[in-house]
Amino acid sequence: MKISFKTYLNDRLKQVDFHGQLTYPLYVQVTYERKTIFFKSYYFELFSKPKYAMQLPDGSIKGPDLEQIIEKENEVIRFVMDKLKDGFSLETFKKLYAHFSTDLCDATEFDFITYLYLFFDDKELPHMAELIKWGILHIDTYNLVIEFKKILKRSLYTELIEQAYKKAPPYLQLYNFMMYTKKRPLLCFTAMEWDNIETIRSFKDYAKLHYSNLNSTKLVGQVNNWPKYRRKAL
């Protein structure tokens, strides 16, 4: 098979702001049997979100390194190519790329946010619900929940977490596992990584240790269900 690919900064487009740095958008090009497709890098879009920026002591903003993003792109592209092997086609490649590159925390976040909104609205705290709706445009949902633990009554916070297990995606458990296994600033946990029995076992062991009151097998099933959760660009 004659397959080639490259990741590149698309200088045919306008430059965009990447956490205070002007840069051309990162694109992917894949060629197979003289046919070529071009598409925007998933990871460039993902790590362009404000929540991935870190404010330094001098007030400046630092985002993820573009070289690291390119490395992640190359990794998932090679992974998908290896999956397809002799059954390669550009159409199938694009579908599997979209699937396996997906950050599972990002994929489960929107429905988890919706759960938070409805939880506080049901508790007749509509302003808190609106704060969540607009706040998560700029801050990480996980960090917001961590601070809820400090300011909410213990009974209310406990109810929020317990109900989340029943009504929301396993966003918190995935995020905690990611924090346990990864380092900033490239905090993501992809479907490519989940497509590994050892990773699943590791997640299950982590859940048994840190969420002993939850059914770890059910948690794995909830993670497997990630393609059915709604997603929205935040």
Side-chain angles (χ1 to χ4, degrees):
M1 293 188 298
K2 294 183 178 179
I3 307 171
S4 62
F5 75 91
K6 70 174 182 178
T7 51
Y8 65 100
L9 297 175
N10 193 343
D11 57 10
R12 294 185 177 183
L13 301 177
K14 292 182 179 180
Q15 288 186 310
V16 295
D17 184 294
F18 186 76
H19 305 301
Q21 173 189 352
L22 279 179
T23 183
Y24 295 107
L26 186 66
Y27 267 66
V28 176
Q29 173 186 317
V30 182
T31 301
Y32 173 62
E33 293 186 342
R34 299 182 182 180
K35 294 182 180 180
T36 301
I37 57 173
F38 307 86
F39 53 92
K40 188 177 289 186
S41 157
Y42 169 79
Y43 293 117
F44 183 82
E45 288 289 283
L46 177 68
F47 291 113
S48 292
K49 295 181 179 182
K51 65 182 181 180
Y52 290 101
M54 294 186 296
Q55 187 166 0
L56 302 178
D58 62 2
S60 62
I61 300 296
K62 178 175 175 56
D65 187 84
L66 282 173
E67 289 301 318
Q68 291 179 303
I69 294 175
I70 291 171
E71 287 177 13
K72 288 196 72 65
E73 279 294 346
N74 292 340
E75 182 184 11
V76 73
I77 290 169
R78 292 190 181 100
F79 177 85
V80 173
M81 286 181 171
D82 187 59
K83 276 277 186 185
L84 290 173
K85 295 182 179 178
D86 294 336
F88 189 91
S89 74
L90 291 175
E91 181 180 353
T92 306
F93 169 84
K94 186 70 184 299
K95 290 179 180 178
L96 290 187
Y97 166 88
H99 176 88
F100 285 111
S101 61
T102 301
D103 172 25
L104 300 188
C105 291
D106 189 68
T108 55
E109 184 177 25
F110 181 67
D111 268 358
F112 183 81
I113 291 167
T114 302
Y115 159 73
L116 288 179
Y117 182 93
L118 295 174
F119 178 86
F120 284 108
D121 192 59
D122 184 60
K123 297 298 180 183
E124 298 184 349
L125 296 168
H127 298 298
M128 179 69 84
E130 287 300 311
L131 177 64
I132 292 167
K133 180 179 179 180
W134 297 107
I136 46 81
L137 295 173
H138 305 285
I139 59 175
D140 195 285
T141 306
Y142 175 82
N143 291 328
L144 186 64
V145 174
I146 292 300
E147 294 201 353
F148 282 162
K149 188 174 183 179
K150 298 177 182 178
I151 63 174
L152 297 180
K153 290 182 178 179
R154 178 178 293 183
S155 59
L156 183 61
Y157 181 79
T158 299
E159 183 181 353
L160 183 151
I161 298 301
E162 289 179 351
Q163 288 298 313
Y165 176 63
K166 300 175 183 177
K167 299 180 180 180
Y171 167 77
L172 290 180
Q173 294 87 353
L174 279 169
Y175 203 105
N176 274 317
F177 181 70
M178 176 181 67
M179 294 280 285
Y180 176 72
T181 56
K182 301 294 184 69
K183 294 181 180 180
R184 291 187 181 276
L186 293 184
L187 281 178
C188 74
F189 181 56
T190 66
M192 176 183 68
E193 295 170 279
W194 185 251
D195 189 54
N196 183 308
I197 190 62
E198 292 304 320
T199 301
I200 295 174
R201 285 174 181 165
S202 180
F203 174 80
K204 195 169 183 178
D205 289 343
Y206 179 87
K208 288 178 180 177
L209 180 63
H210 296 276
Y211 299 96
S212 57
N213 60 319
L214 302 182
N215 185 315
S216 60
T217 300
K218 184 177 179 180
L219 271 177
V220 169
Q222 289 176 332
V223 177
N224 286 333
N225 200 43
W226 73 262
K228 296 182 180 180
Y229 295 122
R230 296 173 301 159
R231 273 169 277 173
K232 182 178 180 180
L234 297 174

